[in-house]
Amino acid sequence: MTAPLLAIENVTKVFAGAVTALEGMTLALNDGDFVSLLGPSGCGKSTALRLIAGLSSPTKGRIRWREGAEGALGVVFQEPTLAPWATVFDNVWLPLRLAGVSKSDARDRVEESLSAVGLGGFSGAYPRELSGGMKMRVSIARAMVTKPRLLLMDEPFAALDEITRFKLNDDLLALHERLGCTVVFVTHSVFESVFLSTRIVVMAARPGRVIRELRVSAPTPRDDAFRTSAAYAEQCRLTSAALREAMEDA
Amino acid sequence: MTALDMPDRSAPPAIDLEELARLRRRRLEKLGAWALPVLVVALSLAAWDWVVRVNDIPHFILPRPGRVWSQLLADWPLLSQALMVTLRITVFALALAVSLGGGLAVLFSLSRWVEMSLFPYAVVLQVTPIVAIAPLIFIYVDSPFVGMMICAWIVAFFPILSNTTLGLRSADRNLEDLFTIYGATRWQRLRYLQLPSAMPYFLGGLRIAGGLALIGAVVAEFAGGVAGRNGGLAFRILEASYRLNVPRMFAALALIAVAGIAIFAITSLVSHLALRRWHESALTRER
């Protein structure tokens, strides 16, 4: 049994002003996991993501990476968060550029990452020329260009319309399947979390904490048929019940 | 955003009355954008000419526009030299304002402590009228050219400093986080995130500063500029007023106005060229 890619060990985060954003969270992320953090606002799911990303540090407990994999992560925010002054290519190049990779050396990897999200041929476009869904794809391409072991996604599709969201969900699963990285996906949509995840971590607010963890046992190459299957409906029912429990607990 | 918002391109290109009216209105607006100002200027000049003629006003009180024009042509060697003097002060002051204002803004963004210490001085410099400071400057600075440049610089540098400071601080918070996650150095953050974010703000400041530099140059010359062959337009206006050469005063005034318009046009063009690919202010709305 190999060590988990990342272990969150009894982590508590208290902000100045004595607000406990997260209390005693323990979670092990294994290779290839697709873990959703599901819960009402204020349940600490975004705080957990920031702690994993190293943007803030825990008040108590610790976060441990597997040796050799430290900090190999990519992030996708709720907004596409692209630099408007830079082309699609330059936006995706950014993580490599910050690591000192020149434009010509980065070219193949950037183009590869763009075609993986279905945006081959858009390198020269500026973000304002793209639709909301396409901007999000660029954002995903940027997160994947460094071939991270861990991909953090903070409600990435919340602002998109349902048709675009379904398409992006499908594509994200295909991408996850192909690259085999671990994903932590923050959402407040039961349906999205069930469709995407292998594990769902249900969280409650005040103080933010983990209530329970559910496994989604459906086989992983999932497609549109899964969205209308009885297994999907049953899993959604179970998850909704757990979420309701979490809300009542708060 | 989505395919649903897009107009149906497969529809036949039949144009309804409303669209036709919109097209006609847009064409008229395009024409009016330059035709109306020209018309207003022409009418004002005609009215001016008419008032002087009908009331028989002598040219040493109010010259006719034609007289101002011929005076401008006759005095061109004199006035063009003065214009060059004024423009040189303006351009040097503006360049100094850009480098020092921009540089100081970068310094402020690097250190909050430096900003807190120095920003009050920048405000004091900005709110004190330049005519009140100018005489002191001319006492301490030997070269009148340098003195005038300092005056014009003081007026021009504040909008650049304050705008650029604001711009450097207005980078997208999530992008900031992204730079942190990828372990960006301070220099990378400045170069790839803060400077591009500040660009629209800086250019907005530049457009204001261009006009202010010219005003500063003229005011400084009134306050303590040189006379004679090295005098600028302000000196020529003063000199002409002593001699009751009102047509020349108008001619010099017109040159200052034209110079101001030219500076504004150039800085606007620079701003447009720098931002046209990405910034909202430079985009033509598609619809």
Side-chain angles (χ1 to χ4, degrees), chain B residues 175-247:
Chain B
L175 271 176
E176 298 245 26
D177 283 348
L178 206 66
F179 273 66
T180 307
I181 287 168
Y182 288 120
T185 61
R186 194 69 199 78
W187 165 247
Q188 286 176 324
R189 194 180 287 269
L190 184 67
R191 170 78 188 76
Y192 301 133
L193 178 61
Q194 289 179 292
L195 287 181
S197 300
M199 208 52 181
Y201 296 82
F202 164 76
L203 290 167
L206 180 69
R207 291 210 293 186
I208 302 170
L212 286 179
L214 179 65
I215 293 174
V218 171
V219 169
E221 213 187 325
F222 274 123
V226 282
R229 282 198 309 131
N230 291 328
L233 282 173
F235 162 69
R236 290 300 168 195
I237 288 179
L238 281 176
E239 183 200 42
S241 82
Y242 298 145
R243 298 178 181 177
L244 275 185
N245 189 346
V246 179

Side-chain angles (χ1 to χ4, degrees), chain A residues 4-5 64-72 149:
Chain A
L5 177 64
R64 216 150 40 118
W65 285 83
R66 180 192 298 154
E67 236 168 277
E70 293 90 349
R149 305 293 292 271

